[in-house]
Amino acid sequence: MSNPFKSVPVRSSEITPKHVYLSRRDFIKAAGVVAGSMALAACAPEAVATEESSAMDSGSTKMDELGTPVNTFEQITNYNNYYEFSTNKEAVAPLSENFTASPWTVEVSGLVNKPKTFGVEDLLSLFPQEERIYRLRCVEAWSMVIPWMGFPLASLLNMVEPTSDAQYLRFETVYRPEEMKGQGSPFYPWPYQEGLRVDEAMNDLAILATGLYGEMMPNQNGAPIRLVVPWKYGFKSIKSIVKIELTDKRPDTLWSTVAPNEYGFYANVNPEVDHPRWSQSSERRIGDLSRRPTLMFNGYGEQVASLYEGMDLSLHY
Ligand code: MTE
């Protein structure tokens, strides 16, 4: 099959009004975020979100730990890959405007001692919401820096207690073709599926994100809850999750099913392994004019390289 990913230049001048259904203050209240009440995550150098520290209020002066500024809310919410709505990145925001992201439940099942279906509001109140500023590197060689809100996937796993047989997680996006017209396309095996090894999922960098810029997750970014695994290409970060299944078999993933020669299970960002049809050695940061070098594991090697010790990374694309 021909390459399903297309590159469309972003026009940051085209700003679609954001579709936010709770104010930031309401979201922070619902999420139980209290200024100064949370411990910083061990590996993440980012600041805890507080009402005072939000980039929304300070004119986007937040940076990642490498000193690069976060992208604007307008950039992050108007240049999206979400094939359930459109393959045109600039069309996703308007086409997802009326998506129903509430009520919503996430079923956690399979090889766990305590399977449970969580309402999103349960997840918001059970787990303190933290801000994590992460680079997102798309396999198409563009990138952004995004101030996510969310909680470690490990916290959820610890609650459901994976059994000793559990080796992988399988994630599933909602299947709702009446609301997501892209799911009418016969070229993709809907619903979107992704997977992680359990030890990858337990890494502190892996989060379930419930918002960005201190607001509830915009529809186009995967409302109400999506995965974010910043050391992997963006397609691993599956949106609008309804199911997480623990299993002893490596799950199929949408992209490795559609184009197995181009997209693997691991999909760790690796500047030394080119995509069959383009180089992965550099990337275009949305908003920048010149390209920048792509970093091994997207710059998170210190936290995650040990997960892949002994693996030939050129073979595990
Ligand atoms: N999840 C679903 N369900 N459907 C998708 O099409 N696209 C992926 C990922 N998650 C996608 C998805 C890709 S290719 C990327 S780069 C990121 O979402 C983009 O996330 P963003 O739009 O929040 O930047």
Side-chain angles (χ1 to χ4, degrees), residues 69 131 195 214 298:
E131 179 165 84
N298 203 19

Side-chain angles (χ1 to χ4, degrees), residues 108-179:
V108 188
S109 60
L111 299 175
V112 293
N113 290 325
K114 298 181 174 165
K116 187 171 158 74
T117 297
F118 297 87
V120 164
E121 49 309 330
D122 304 332
L123 297 172
L124 287 172
S125 60
L126 280 168
F127 306 110
Q129 307 296 301
E130 310 167 18
E131 179 165 84
R132 299 283 186 102
I133 299 176
Y134 285 158
R135 294 171 290 286
L136 178 124
R137 171 46 162 95
C138 181
V139 77
E140 298 165 323
W142 55 266
S143 62
M144 296 201 206
V145 182
I146 304 181
W148 301 108
M149 297 287 295
F151 58 95
L153 177 55
S155 305
L156 178 64
L157 290 177
N158 290 335
M159 184 164 284
V160 297
E161 297 178 7
T163 69
S164 55
D165 294 334
Q167 290 176 49
Y168 296 96
L169 284 77
R170 187 182 77 84
F171 299 84
E172 202 176 291
T173 293
V174 70
Y175 182 66
R176 225 188 263 166
E178 65 287 357
E179 276 191 82

Side-chain angles (χ1 to χ4, degrees), residues 242-282:
V242 288
K243 191 167 178 179
I244 303 174
E245 188 190 352
L246 279 285
T247 147
D248 55 2
K249 283 188 254 354
R250 196 161 98 174
D252 289 338
T253 71
L254 182 135
W255 289 113
S256 64
T257 304
V258 169
N261 55 325
E262 301 196 344
Y263 308 107
F265 177 80
Y266 281 95
N268 291 317
V269 174
N270 188 341
E272 282 161 27
V273 179
D274 287 339
H275 186 279
R277 286 173 298 106
W278 61 81
S279 166
Q280 294 292 26
S281 67
S282 70

Side-chain angles (χ1 to χ4, degrees), residues 9 23 36 82 98 110 122-123 131 161 174 186 189-190 194 196 210 221 225-226 239 261 298 304 314:
S23 74
Y82 201 165
N98 296 320
D122 304 332
L123 297 172
E131 179 165 84
E161 297 178 7
V174 70
W190 307 111
E194 257 306 336
L196 290 176
T210 52
N221 295 92
I225 187 163
R226 54 99 52 96
K239 296 178 169 180
N261 55 325
N298 203 19
V304 301
S314 65

